[in-house]
Amino acid sequence: MHSLWMVPLTLLSAVCLLFWKVGPFGIAALVVAGLFWPFNVWVIRTSRSATGRFKKAQDARIKMLSGALHGIRVVKMLTWEEPMVSLLGNLRAEEIAALQSLKRITVIQNVTE
């Protein structure tokens, strides 16, 4: 409820300060900011989905590793070390791919700020 009146008041005071300090060139700054608004929305949405993909990949790898560590006796007894290492390596590769995607989006986001 507090933000219903605080956000418009903050925006109004920021725009007034911008015009007071910069003058009519503040209009150009607001136009540029308005033109970049859709791009920033796209970057934020892409960043959220990339973060979700990374977290899912990380959770899958941690779940598999946790299960392997809990059943290490069975893994050793049945000599499943190689398949387990291969499976964990594949899960880690998926996690790294998701992390790289997230970092690319983060770089784009930092450049546009």
Side-chain angles (χ1 to χ4, degrees):
M1 194 69 170
H2 178 67
S3 63
L4 284 177
W5 64 271
M6 193 62 183
V7 170
L9 184 64
T10 304
L11 286 174
L12 180 65
S13 63
V15 169
C16 288
L17 282 172
L18 179 69
F19 287 134
W20 179 50
K21 291 290 187 183
V22 182
F25 295 107
I27 294 173
L30 288 176
V31 168
V32 169
L35 290 175
F36 275 101
W37 187 267
F39 179 72
N40 286 334
V41 169
W42 174 81
V43 168
I44 290 169
R45 286 183 181 160
T46 307
S47 176
R48 283 184 187 164
S49 67
T51 302
R53 285 193 312 270
F54 171 68
K55 298 254 183 208
K56 285 180 184 178
Q58 188 178 35
D59 287 346
R61 182 185 60 86
I62 289 173
K63 184 178 178 182
M64 175 60 84
L65 184 59
S66 177
L69 289 175
H70 284 297
I72 194 72
R73 287 185 183 163
V74 175
V75 169
K76 287 286 193 180
M77 187 171 43
L78 298 175
T79 64
W80 286 349
E81 291 95 350
E82 292 300 321
M84 193 62 72
V85 167
S86 172
L87 186 59
L88 286 171
N90 292 340
L91 289 173
R92 179 65 180 159
E94 290 176 17
E95 180 184 1
I96 289 175
L99 181 61
Q100 287 174 341
S101 172
L102 176 62
K103 290 302 174 185
R104 281 188 205 106
I105 298 298
T106 303
V107 166
I108 293 171
Q109 190 173 12
N110 289 338
V111 167
T112 60
E113 286 181 351

PDB file of all heavy atoms in Angstrom, residues 49-67 87-100 102-103:
ATOM      1  N   SER A  49      14.735 -16.747 -17.194  1.00  0.00           N
ATOM      2  CA  SER A  49      14.618 -18.115 -17.719  1.00  0.00           C
ATOM      3  C   SER A  49      15.974 -18.812 -17.709  1.00  0.00           C
ATOM      4  O   SER A  49      16.048 -20.011 -17.421  1.00  0.00           O
ATOM      5  CB  SER A  49      14.023 -18.105 -19.126  1.00  0.00           C
ATOM      6  OG  SER A  49      14.907 -17.515 -20.039  1.00  0.00           O
ATOM      7  N   ALA A  50      17.061 -18.081 -17.992  1.00  0.00           N
ATOM      8  CA  ALA A  50      18.397 -18.690 -17.957  1.00  0.00           C
ATOM      9  C   ALA A  50      18.761 -19.083 -16.526  1.00  0.00           C
ATOM     10  O   ALA A  50      19.371 -20.136 -16.303  1.00  0.00           O
ATOM     11  CB  ALA A  50      19.434 -17.727 -18.528  1.00  0.00           C
ATOM     12  N   THR A  51      18.376 -18.264 -15.564  1.00  0.00           N
ATOM     13  CA  THR A  51      18.633 -18.604 -14.161  1.00  0.00           C
ATOM     14  C   THR A  51      17.867 -19.860 -13.776  1.00  0.00           C
ATOM     15  O   THR A  51      18.400 -20.736 -13.080  1.00  0.00           O
ATOM     16  CB  THR A  51      18.231 -17.433 -13.247  1.00  0.00           C
ATOM     17  OG1 THR A  51      18.969 -16.273 -13.621  1.00  0.00           O
ATOM     18  CG2 THR A  51      18.493 -17.755 -11.789  1.00  0.00           C
ATOM     19  N   GLY A  52      16.624 -19.974 -14.225  1.00  0.00           N
ATOM     20  CA  GLY A  52      15.824 -21.168 -13.943  1.00  0.00           C
ATOM     21  C   GLY A  52      16.437 -22.420 -14.545  1.00  0.00           C
ATOM     22  O   GLY A  52      16.494 -23.469 -13.889  1.00  0.00           O
ATOM     23  N   ARG A  53      16.912 -22.321 -15.804  1.00  0.00           N
ATOM     24  CA  ARG A  53      17.555 -23.475 -16.433  1.00  0.00           C
ATOM     25  C   ARG A  53      18.826 -23.866 -15.682  1.00  0.00           C
ATOM     26  O   ARG A  53      19.102 -25.049 -15.484  1.00  0.00           O
ATOM     27  CB  ARG A  53      17.891 -23.165 -17.892  1.00  0.00           C
ATOM     28  CG  ARG A  53      16.701 -23.179 -18.804  1.00  0.00           C
ATOM     29  CD  ARG A  53      17.088 -23.185 -20.275  1.00  0.00           C
ATOM     30  NE  ARG A  53      18.081 -22.195 -20.633  1.00  0.00           N
ATOM     31  CZ  ARG A  53      17.819 -20.945 -21.032  1.00  0.00           C
ATOM     32  NH1 ARG A  53      16.567 -20.551 -21.103  1.00  0.00           N
ATOM     33  NH2 ARG A  53      18.794 -20.116 -21.340  1.00  0.00           N
ATOM     34  N   PHE A  54      19.611 -22.885 -15.251  1.00  0.00           N
ATOM     35  CA  PHE A  54      20.836 -23.176 -14.513  1.00  0.00           C
ATOM     36  C   PHE A  54      20.521 -23.856 -13.185  1.00  0.00           C
ATOM     37  O   PHE A  54      21.155 -24.844 -12.817  1.00  0.00           O
ATOM     38  CB  PHE A  54      21.632 -21.893 -14.276  1.00  0.00           C
ATOM     39  CG  PHE A  54      22.784 -22.080 -13.336  1.00  0.00           C
ATOM     40  CD1 PHE A  54      23.877 -22.850 -13.700  1.00  0.00           C
ATOM     41  CD2 PHE A  54      22.777 -21.492 -12.088  1.00  0.00           C
ATOM     42  CE1 PHE A  54      24.937 -23.036 -12.827  1.00  0.00           C
ATOM     43  CE2 PHE A  54      23.827 -21.667 -11.214  1.00  0.00           C
ATOM     44  CZ  PHE A  54      24.914 -22.434 -11.580  1.00  0.00           C
ATOM     45  N   LYS A  55      19.545 -23.344 -12.473  1.00  0.00           N
ATOM     46  CA  LYS A  55      19.186 -23.936 -11.173  1.00  0.00           C
ATOM     47  C   LYS A  55      18.681 -25.372 -11.329  1.00  0.00           C
ATOM     48  O   LYS A  55      19.012 -26.241 -10.525  1.00  0.00           O
ATOM     49  CB  LYS A  55      18.119 -23.084 -10.485  1.00  0.00           C
ATOM     50  CG  LYS A  55      18.571 -21.693 -10.171  1.00  0.00           C
ATOM     51  CD  LYS A  55      18.824 -21.537  -8.732  1.00  0.00           C
ATOM     52  CE  LYS A  55      19.203 -20.083  -8.483  1.00  0.00           C
ATOM     53  NZ  LYS A  55      20.040 -19.936  -7.368  1.00  0.00           N
ATOM     54  N   LYS A  56      17.893 -25.628 -12.392  1.00  0.00           N
ATOM     55  CA  LYS A  56      17.414 -26.994 -12.618  1.00  0.00           C
ATOM     56  C   LYS A  56      18.560 -27.938 -12.937  1.00  0.00           C
ATOM     57  O   LYS A  56      18.612 -29.066 -12.436  1.00  0.00           O
ATOM     58  CB  LYS A  56      16.388 -27.014 -13.746  1.00  0.00           C
ATOM     59  CG  LYS A  56      15.041 -26.477 -13.341  1.00  0.00           C
ATOM     60  CD  LYS A  56      14.048 -26.521 -14.479  1.00  0.00           C
ATOM     61  CE  LYS A  56      12.735 -25.890 -14.069  1.00  0.00           C
ATOM     62  NZ  LYS A  56      11.764 -25.870 -15.162  1.00  0.00           N
ATOM     63  N   ALA A  57      19.497 -27.492 -13.764  1.00  0.00           N
ATOM     64  CA  ALA A  57      20.650 -28.331 -14.107  1.00  0.00           C
ATOM     65  C   ALA A  57      21.510 -28.575 -12.876  1.00  0.00           C
ATOM     66  O   ALA A  57      21.994 -29.689 -12.647  1.00  0.00           O
ATOM     67  CB  ALA A  57      21.470 -27.672 -15.215  1.00  0.00           C
ATOM     68  N   GLN A  58      21.690 -27.552 -12.079  1.00  0.00           N
ATOM     69  CA  GLN A  58      22.482 -27.694 -10.858  1.00  0.00           C
ATOM     70  C   GLN A  58      21.803 -28.645  -9.877  1.00  0.00           C
ATOM     71  O   GLN A  58      22.467 -29.506  -9.273  1.00  0.00           O
ATOM     72  CB  GLN A  58      22.669 -26.318 -10.220  1.00  0.00           C
ATOM     73  CG  GLN A  58      23.631 -26.294  -9.064  1.00  0.00           C
ATOM     74  CD  GLN A  58      23.808 -24.890  -8.516  1.00  0.00           C
ATOM     75  OE1 GLN A  58      22.869 -24.101  -8.503  1.00  0.00           O
ATOM     76  NE2 GLN A  58      25.004 -24.587  -8.076  1.00  0.00           N
ATOM     77  N   ASP A  59      20.503 -28.529  -9.729  1.00  0.00           N
ATOM     78  CA  ASP A  59      19.771 -29.420  -8.823  1.00  0.00           C
ATOM     79  C   ASP A  59      19.847 -30.870  -9.280  1.00  0.00           C
ATOM     80  O   ASP A  59      20.000 -31.777  -8.457  1.00  0.00           O
ATOM     81  CB  ASP A  59      18.312 -28.985  -8.713  1.00  0.00           C
ATOM     82  CG  ASP A  59      18.124 -27.710  -7.906  1.00  0.00           C
ATOM     83  OD1 ASP A  59      19.079 -27.309  -7.211  1.00  0.00           O
ATOM     84  OD2 ASP A  59      17.030 -27.121  -7.981  1.00  0.00           O
ATOM     85  N   ALA A  60      19.749 -31.108 -10.590  1.00  0.00           N
ATOM     86  CA  ALA A  60      19.830 -32.484 -11.104  1.00  0.00           C
ATOM     87  C   ALA A  60      21.194 -33.082 -10.820  1.00  0.00           C
ATOM     88  O   ALA A  60      21.302 -34.246 -10.401  1.00  0.00           O
ATOM     89  CB  ALA A  60      19.545 -32.491 -12.604  1.00  0.00           C
ATOM     90  N   ARG A  61      22.257 -32.290 -11.017  1.00  0.00           N
ATOM     91  CA  ARG A  61      23.607 -32.799 -10.767  1.00  0.00           C
ATOM     92  C   ARG A  61      23.814 -33.070  -9.283  1.00  0.00           C
ATOM     93  O   ARG A  61      24.342 -34.119  -8.895  1.00  0.00           O
ATOM     94  CB  ARG A  61      24.649 -31.800 -11.259  1.00  0.00           C
ATOM     95  CG  ARG A  61      26.083 -32.299 -11.058  1.00  0.00           C
ATOM     96  CD  ARG A  61      27.094 -31.255 -11.444  1.00  0.00           C
ATOM     97  NE  ARG A  61      26.984 -30.037 -10.671  1.00  0.00           N
ATOM     98  CZ  ARG A  61      27.570 -29.829  -9.495  1.00  0.00           C
ATOM     99  NH1 ARG A  61      28.287 -30.784  -8.937  1.00  0.00           N
ATOM    100  NH2 ARG A  61      27.432 -28.683  -8.863  1.00  0.00           N
ATOM    101  N   ILE A  62      23.366 -32.172  -8.441  1.00  0.00           N
ATOM    102  CA  ILE A  62      23.547 -32.354  -6.999  1.00  0.00           C
ATOM    103  C   ILE A  62      22.742 -33.544  -6.501  1.00  0.00           C
ATOM    104  O   ILE A  62      23.208 -34.317  -5.657  1.00  0.00           O
ATOM    105  CB  ILE A  62      23.175 -31.062  -6.248  1.00  0.00           C
ATOM    106  CG1 ILE A  62      24.238 -30.001  -6.530  1.00  0.00           C
ATOM    107  CG2 ILE A  62      23.045 -31.298  -4.757  1.00  0.00           C
ATOM    108  CD1 ILE A  62      23.898 -28.626  -5.988  1.00  0.00           C
ATOM    109  N   LYS A  63      21.533 -33.733  -7.033  1.00  0.00           N
ATOM    110  CA  LYS A  63      20.706 -34.870  -6.640  1.00  0.00           C
ATOM    111  C   LYS A  63      21.383 -36.185  -7.025  1.00  0.00           C
ATOM    112  O   LYS A  63      21.431 -37.129  -6.233  1.00  0.00           O
ATOM    113  CB  LYS A  63      19.333 -34.765  -7.304  1.00  0.00           C
ATOM    114  CG  LYS A  63      18.368 -35.843  -6.894  1.00  0.00           C
ATOM    115  CD  LYS A  63      17.022 -35.627  -7.566  1.00  0.00           C
ATOM    116  CE  LYS A  63      16.063 -36.737  -7.209  1.00  0.00           C
ATOM    117  NZ  LYS A  63      14.775 -36.564  -7.881  1.00  0.00           N
ATOM    118  N   MET A  64      21.933 -36.244  -8.248  1.00  0.00           N
ATOM    119  CA  MET A  64      22.617 -37.453  -8.692  1.00  0.00           C
ATOM    120  C   MET A  64      23.868 -37.718  -7.857  1.00  0.00           C
ATOM    121  O   MET A  64      24.133 -38.851  -7.451  1.00  0.00           O
ATOM    122  CB  MET A  64      22.980 -37.337 -10.174  1.00  0.00           C
ATOM    123  CG  MET A  64      23.802 -38.494 -10.687  1.00  0.00           C
ATOM    124  SD  MET A  64      22.975 -40.085 -10.513  1.00  0.00           S
ATOM    125  CE  MET A  64      21.997 -40.055 -11.967  1.00  0.00           C
ATOM    126  N   LEU A  65      24.635 -36.673  -7.585  1.00  0.00           N
ATOM    127  CA  LEU A  65      25.853 -36.831  -6.798  1.00  0.00           C
ATOM    128  C   LEU A  65      25.523 -37.252  -5.374  1.00  0.00           C
ATOM    129  O   LEU A  65      26.201 -38.115  -4.801  1.00  0.00           O
ATOM    130  CB  LEU A  65      26.650 -35.529  -6.799  1.00  0.00           C
ATOM    131  CG  LEU A  65      28.002 -35.570  -6.104  1.00  0.00           C
ATOM    132  CD1 LEU A  65      28.901 -36.624  -6.740  1.00  0.00           C
ATOM    133  CD2 LEU A  65      28.656 -34.212  -6.180  1.00  0.00           C
ATOM    134  N   SER A  66      24.472 -36.693  -4.818  1.00  0.00           N
ATOM    135  CA  SER A  66      24.052 -37.064  -3.466  1.00  0.00           C
ATOM    136  C   SER A  66      23.632 -38.539  -3.408  1.00  0.00           C
ATOM    137  O   SER A  66      24.002 -39.261  -2.482  1.00  0.00           O
ATOM    138  CB  SER A  66      22.900 -36.169  -3.028  1.00  0.00           C
ATOM    139  OG  SER A  66      22.433 -36.547  -1.759  1.00  0.00           O
ATOM    140  N   GLY A  67      22.876 -38.965  -4.421  1.00  0.00           N
ATOM    141  CA  GLY A  67      22.484 -40.377  -4.474  1.00  0.00           C
ATOM    142  C   GLY A  67      23.680 -41.298  -4.630  1.00  0.00           C
ATOM    143  O   GLY A  67      23.735 -42.372  -4.014  1.00  0.00           O
ATOM    144  N   LEU A  87      27.943 -40.165 -16.257  1.00  0.00           N
ATOM    145  CA  LEU A  87      26.643 -39.525 -16.043  1.00  0.00           C
ATOM    146  C   LEU A  87      26.792 -38.188 -15.328  1.00  0.00           C
ATOM    147  O   LEU A  87      26.184 -37.185 -15.722  1.00  0.00           O
ATOM    148  CB  LEU A  87      25.727 -40.467 -15.247  1.00  0.00           C
ATOM    149  CG  LEU A  87      24.295 -40.024 -15.049  1.00  0.00           C
ATOM    150  CD1 LEU A  87      23.611 -39.819 -16.392  1.00  0.00           C
ATOM    151  CD2 LEU A  87      23.544 -41.042 -14.230  1.00  0.00           C
ATOM    152  N   LEU A  88      27.624 -38.157 -14.297  1.00  0.00           N
ATOM    153  CA  LEU A  88      27.845 -36.907 -13.579  1.00  0.00           C
ATOM    154  C   LEU A  88      28.542 -35.874 -14.469  1.00  0.00           C
ATOM    155  O   LEU A  88      28.255 -34.673 -14.383  1.00  0.00           O
ATOM    156  CB  LEU A  88      28.659 -37.161 -12.310  1.00  0.00           C
ATOM    157  CG  LEU A  88      27.902 -37.834 -11.172  1.00  0.00           C
ATOM    158  CD1 LEU A  88      28.849 -38.239 -10.057  1.00  0.00           C
ATOM    159  CD2 LEU A  88      26.817 -36.929 -10.640  1.00  0.00           C
ATOM    160  N   GLY A  89      29.453 -36.341 -15.328  1.00  0.00           N
ATOM    161  CA  GLY A  89      30.116 -35.429 -16.264  1.00  0.00           C
ATOM    162  C   GLY A  89      29.133 -34.811 -17.248  1.00  0.00           C
ATOM    163  O   GLY A  89      29.225 -33.618 -17.565  1.00  0.00           O
ATOM    164  N   ASN A  90      28.190 -35.622 -17.738  1.00  0.00           N
ATOM    165  CA  ASN A  90      27.160 -35.095 -18.646  1.00  0.00           C
ATOM    166  C   ASN A  90      26.271 -34.067 -17.950  1.00  0.00           C
ATOM    167  O   ASN A  90      25.926 -33.035 -18.530  1.00  0.00           O
ATOM    168  CB  ASN A  90      26.308 -36.226 -19.208  1.00  0.00           C
ATOM    169  CG  ASN A  90      27.081 -37.112 -20.147  1.00  0.00           C
ATOM    170  OD1 ASN A  90      28.116 -36.725 -20.675  1.00  0.00           O
ATOM    171  ND2 ASN A  90      26.588 -38.324 -20.345  1.00  0.00           N
ATOM    172  N   LEU A  91      25.891 -34.372 -16.703  1.00  0.00           N
ATOM    173  CA  LEU A  91      25.070 -33.423 -15.947  1.00  0.00           C
ATOM    174  C   LEU A  91      25.838 -32.124 -15.682  1.00  0.00           C
ATOM    175  O   LEU A  91      25.279 -31.027 -15.754  1.00  0.00           O
ATOM    176  CB  LEU A  91      24.607 -34.045 -14.635  1.00  0.00           C
ATOM    177  CG  LEU A  91      23.561 -35.152 -14.761  1.00  0.00           C
ATOM    178  CD1 LEU A  91      23.312 -35.810 -13.412  1.00  0.00           C
ATOM    179  CD2 LEU A  91      22.272 -34.604 -15.324  1.00  0.00           C
ATOM    180  N   ARG A  92      27.131 -32.255 -15.405  1.00  0.00           N
ATOM    181  CA  ARG A  92      27.952 -31.061 -15.168  1.00  0.00           C
ATOM    182  C   ARG A  92      28.091 -30.249 -16.459  1.00  0.00           C
ATOM    183  O   ARG A  92      28.084 -29.014 -16.423  1.00  0.00           O
ATOM    184  CB  ARG A  92      29.332 -31.475 -14.639  1.00  0.00           C
ATOM    185  CG  ARG A  92      30.266 -30.331 -14.380  1.00  0.00           C
ATOM    186  CD  ARG A  92      29.781 -29.428 -13.273  1.00  0.00           C
ATOM    187  NE  ARG A  92      30.739 -28.350 -13.086  1.00  0.00           N
ATOM    188  CZ  ARG A  92      30.466 -27.215 -12.513  1.00  0.00           C
ATOM    189  NH1 ARG A  92      29.257 -27.006 -12.034  1.00  0.00           N
ATOM    190  NH2 ARG A  92      31.365 -26.283 -12.384  1.00  0.00           N
ATOM    191  N   ALA A  93      28.207 -30.917 -17.594  1.00  0.00           N
ATOM    192  CA  ALA A  93      28.295 -30.209 -18.875  1.00  0.00           C
ATOM    193  C   ALA A  93      27.014 -29.422 -19.154  1.00  0.00           C
ATOM    194  O   ALA A  93      27.073 -28.279 -19.632  1.00  0.00           O
ATOM    195  CB  ALA A  93      28.575 -31.197 -19.998  1.00  0.00           C
ATOM    196  N   GLU A  94      25.863 -30.021 -18.850  1.00  0.00           N
ATOM    197  CA  GLU A  94      24.594 -29.302 -19.003  1.00  0.00           C
ATOM    198  C   GLU A  94      24.541 -28.094 -18.076  1.00  0.00           C
ATOM    199  O   GLU A  94      24.081 -27.015 -18.469  1.00  0.00           O
ATOM    200  CB  GLU A  94      23.417 -30.225 -18.702  1.00  0.00           C
ATOM    201  CG  GLU A  94      23.174 -31.301 -19.735  1.00  0.00           C
ATOM    202  CD  GLU A  94      22.057 -32.235 -19.330  1.00  0.00           C
ATOM    203  OE1 GLU A  94      21.266 -31.879 -18.428  1.00  0.00           O
ATOM    204  OE2 GLU A  94      21.967 -33.331 -19.902  1.00  0.00           O
ATOM    205  N   GLU A  95      25.022 -28.279 -16.855  1.00  0.00           N
ATOM    206  CA  GLU A  95      25.028 -27.182 -15.893  1.00  0.00           C
ATOM    207  C   GLU A  95      25.945 -26.047 -16.366  1.00  0.00           C
ATOM    208  O   GLU A  95      25.585 -24.867 -16.288  1.00  0.00           O
ATOM    209  CB  GLU A  95      25.495 -27.696 -14.529  1.00  0.00           C
ATOM    210  CG  GLU A  95      25.532 -26.641 -13.460  1.00  0.00           C
ATOM    211  CD  GLU A  95      26.080 -27.161 -12.140  1.00  0.00           C
ATOM    212  OE1 GLU A  95      26.452 -28.351 -12.048  1.00  0.00           O
ATOM    213  OE2 GLU A  95      26.147 -26.360 -11.203  1.00  0.00           O
ATOM    214  N   ILE A  96      27.105 -26.381 -16.891  1.00  0.00           N
ATOM    215  CA  ILE A  96      28.041 -25.363 -17.376  1.00  0.00           C
ATOM    216  C   ILE A  96      27.465 -24.638 -18.588  1.00  0.00           C
ATOM    217  O   ILE A  96      27.614 -23.418 -18.725  1.00  0.00           O
ATOM    218  CB  ILE A  96      29.416 -25.992 -17.673  1.00  0.00           C
ATOM    219  CG1 ILE A  96      30.095 -26.357 -16.356  1.00  0.00           C
ATOM    220  CG2 ILE A  96      30.290 -25.051 -18.498  1.00  0.00           C
ATOM    221  CD1 ILE A  96      31.397 -27.098 -16.505  1.00  0.00           C
ATOM    222  N   ALA A  97      26.788 -25.361 -19.474  1.00  0.00           N
ATOM    223  CA  ALA A  97      26.158 -24.716 -20.635  1.00  0.00           C
ATOM    224  C   ALA A  97      25.095 -23.719 -20.186  1.00  0.00           C
ATOM    225  O   ALA A  97      25.006 -22.601 -20.719  1.00  0.00           O
ATOM    226  CB  ALA A  97      25.552 -25.763 -21.558  1.00  0.00           C
ATOM    227  N   ALA A  98      24.304 -24.099 -19.190  1.00  0.00           N
ATOM    228  CA  ALA A  98      23.282 -23.189 -18.661  1.00  0.00           C
ATOM    229  C   ALA A  98      23.931 -21.989 -17.977  1.00  0.00           C
ATOM    230  O   ALA A  98      23.460 -20.855 -18.105  1.00  0.00           O
ATOM    231  CB  ALA A  98      22.365 -23.922 -17.683  1.00  0.00           C
ATOM    232  N   LEU A  99      25.035 -22.220 -17.275  1.00  0.00           N
ATOM    233  CA  LEU A  99      25.742 -21.133 -16.614  1.00  0.00           C
ATOM    234  C   LEU A  99      26.343 -20.164 -17.630  1.00  0.00           C
ATOM    235  O   LEU A  99      26.288 -18.939 -17.442  1.00  0.00           O
ATOM    236  CB  LEU A  99      26.836 -21.694 -15.705  1.00  0.00           C
ATOM    237  CG  LEU A  99      27.663 -20.676 -14.928  1.00  0.00           C
ATOM    238  CD1 LEU A  99      26.786 -19.864 -14.001  1.00  0.00           C
ATOM    239  CD2 LEU A  99      28.765 -21.372 -14.160  1.00  0.00           C
ATOM    240  N   GLN A 100      26.888 -20.690 -18.724  1.00  0.00           N
ATOM    241  CA  GLN A 100      27.432 -19.817 -19.763  1.00  0.00           C
ATOM    242  C   GLN A 100      26.335 -18.954 -20.384  1.00  0.00           C
ATOM    243  O   GLN A 100      26.542 -17.760 -20.634  1.00  0.00           O
ATOM    244  CB  GLN A 100      28.122 -20.649 -20.842  1.00  0.00           C
ATOM    245  CG  GLN A 100      29.446 -21.228 -20.402  1.00  0.00           C
ATOM    246  CD  GLN A 100      30.040 -22.169 -21.436  1.00  0.00           C
ATOM    247  OE1 GLN A 100      29.332 -22.667 -22.308  1.00  0.00           O
ATOM    248  NE2 GLN A 100      31.329 -22.419 -21.319  1.00  0.00           N
ATOM    249  N   LEU A 102      23.599 -18.003 -18.911  1.00  0.00           N
ATOM    250  CA  LEU A 102      23.243 -17.019 -17.894  1.00  0.00           C
ATOM    251  C   LEU A 102      24.272 -15.897 -17.843  1.00  0.00           C
ATOM    252  O   LEU A 102      23.923 -14.723 -17.747  1.00  0.00           O
ATOM    253  CB  LEU A 102      23.120 -17.701 -16.527  1.00  0.00           C
ATOM    254  CG  LEU A 102      22.849 -16.802 -15.334  1.00  0.00           C
ATOM    255  CD1 LEU A 102      21.521 -16.087 -15.499  1.00  0.00           C
ATOM    256  CD2 LEU A 102      22.871 -17.608 -14.054  1.00  0.00           C
ATOM    257  N   LYS A 103      25.535 -16.227 -17.935  1.00  0.00           N
ATOM    258  CA  LYS A 103      26.579 -15.206 -17.874  1.00  0.00           C
ATOM    259  C   LYS A 103      26.560 -14.303 -19.104  1.00  0.00           C
ATOM    260  O   LYS A 103      26.839 -13.111 -19.001  1.00  0.00           O
ATOM    261  CB  LYS A 103      27.959 -15.850 -17.696  1.00  0.00           C
ATOM    262  CG  LYS A 103      28.139 -16.469 -16.337  1.00  0.00           C
ATOM    263  CD  LYS A 103      27.949 -15.435 -15.256  1.00  0.00           C
ATOM    264  CE  LYS A 103      27.967 -16.036 -13.875  1.00  0.00           C
ATOM    265  NZ  LYS A 103      27.678 -15.052 -12.836  1.00  0.00           N
TER     266      LYS A 103
END
